[in-house]
């Protein structure tokens, strides 16, 4: 497709389980971002990948959160030992490089029971 | 205090009205300013992207930046029911140009 693709669109899991969220950026975009959108906090930056450079992980809220980007394309955000406060919409965005406008996917709505 | 302040609304207007949406910010290092539109259960969609102070127009949308007052606006002319959505302002600084800092969003309802 032409846009950023995220899967799954919805995920419900039990507290303590691990989850993996996937992002497929726009073809040719070298920069990829993860954000979290929750009612109380709005949209918050999590992590940024640019080409082969080391990612900026400064927004990850705890060491239970990690992300990787394989082959400079698809990215996976992993949350280990999920907690109820992890419930949010996780949004992925991509851009042609790090200082160009970011284009978002529709997100994964994560609910922790 | 948040770096970017935005009135959450909701803002309700009749069809055809001119809508004014605003954000204020505290960090004078912010240089790039964006407006996104977000429909329910969808991702944010980029509407406007501006760098300098002044106005930028695109169809029914006008973005205005006043760096001296740390104030940005989005105007929507001839508003339509399809414009009903949440509008998010976002901005970045020169030294961290990839890290978007968002306002909390304003809900807009355009009544037919």
């Amino acid at each position: 497709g032409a846009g950023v693709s995220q899967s799954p669109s919805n995920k419900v899991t039990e507290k303590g389980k691990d989850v993996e969220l996937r992002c497929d950026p726009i073809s040719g975009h070298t920069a990829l971002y993860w954000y979290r959108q929750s009612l109380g906090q709005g949209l918050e930056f999590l992590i940024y990948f640019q080409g082969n450079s080391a990612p900026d992980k400064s927004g990850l809220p705890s060491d239970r959160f990690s992300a990787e980007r394989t082959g400079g394309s698809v990215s996976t955000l992993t949350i280990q030992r999920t907690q109820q406060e992890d419930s949010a919409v996780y949004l992925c965005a991509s851009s042609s490089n790090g200082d160009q406008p970011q284009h978002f996917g529709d997100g994964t709505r994560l609910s922790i029971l | 205090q948040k770096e970017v302040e935005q009135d959450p609304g909701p803002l309700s207007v009749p069809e055809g009205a001119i809508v004014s949406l605003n954000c204020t910010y505290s960090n004078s290092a912010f240089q790039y300013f964006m407006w996104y539109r977000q429909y329910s259960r969808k991702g944010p969609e980029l509407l406007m992207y501006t760098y300098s102070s002044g106005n930028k127009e695109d169809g029914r949308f006008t973005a205005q930046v006043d760096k001296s007052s740390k104030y940005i606006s989005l105007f929507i002319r001839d508003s339509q029911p399809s414009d009903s959505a949440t509008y998010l302002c976002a901005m970045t600084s020169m030294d961290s140009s990839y890290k978007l800092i968002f306002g909390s969003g304003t809900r807009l309802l355009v009544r037919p």
Side-chain angles (χ1 to χ4, degrees):
Chain A
V4 176
S5 178
Q6 292 189 246
S7 61
S9 54
N10 292 282
K11 177 73 176 178
V12 180
T13 193
E14 293 178 349
K15 176 183 170 182
K17 300 284 190 184
D18 298 352
V19 294
E20 280 191 357
L21 313 179
R22 177 188 166 104
C23 173
D24 212 329
I26 293 171
S27 178
H29 279 190
T30 61
L32 186 147
Y33 318 77
W34 284 96
Y35 291 83
R36 179 169 70 175
Q37 187 172 31
S38 55
L39 277 175
Q41 301 298 320
L43 255 155
E44 302 172 287
F45 168 84
L46 295 178
I47 188 169
Y48 161 66
F49 295 91
Q50 171 58 53
N52 295 321
S53 303
D56 178 350
K57 305 180 182 180
S58 61
L60 294 178
S62 78
D63 58 8
R64 296 185 296 105
F65 288 72
S66 63
E68 63 177 23
R69 188 177 185 193
T70 53
S73 182
V74 170
S75 177
T76 302
L77 177 68
T78 301
I79 309 174
Q80 295 178 308
R81 305 181 302 283
T82 51
Q83 304 294 312
Q84 287 188 330
E85 62 262 27
D86 300 334
S87 296
V89 177
Y90 289 83
L91 290 159
C92 177
S94 70
S95 63
S96 55
N97 62 46
D99 61 359
Q100 292 300 307
Q102 298 176 27
H103 300 273
F104 284 80
D106 286 336
T108 294
R109 189 172 298 268
L110 178 64
S111 299
I112 310 299
L113 302 179
Chain B
Q1 184 184 2
K2 292 183 178 180
E3 282 190 282
V4 181
E5 297 281 355
Q6 187 175 7
D7 189 328
L11 178 62
S12 180
V13 302
E15 183 175 354
I18 296 175
V19 175
S20 172
L21 303 164
N22 312 293
C23 288
T24 59
Y25 61 96
S26 56
N27 187 348
S28 58
F30 286 144
Q31 298 287 334
Y32 300 94
F33 304 91
M34 286 136 277
W35 285 95
Y36 284 86
R37 177 176 63 195
Q38 187 173 26
Y39 292 114
S40 180
R41 304 188 80 86
K42 293 290 188 181
E45 171 193 1
L46 182 66
L47 287 177
M48 301 289 280
Y49 177 79
T50 57
Y51 169 67
S52 58
S53 283
N55 293 352
K56 180 177 180 179
E57 190 173 317
D58 184 359
R60 295 185 297 113
F61 299 93
T62 299
Q64 192 173 79
V65 175
D66 182 349
K67 288 186 179 178
S68 63
S69 301
K70 299 191 182 66
Y71 188 88
I72 68 170
S73 300
L74 178 70
F75 298 95
I76 307 174
R77 289 183 299 281
D78 187 25
S79 56
Q80 303 295 309
S82 58
D83 295 328
S84 298
T86 296
Y87 290 79
L88 298 149
C89 64
M91 45 201 79
T92 67
S93 60
M94 287 284 279
D95 60 354
S96 190
S97 60
Y98 53 84
K99 192 181 293 186
L100 291 178
I101 307 298
F102 281 88
S104 55
T106 299
R107 272 186 57 211
L108 172 66
L109 174 63
V110 181
R111 308 186 305 272

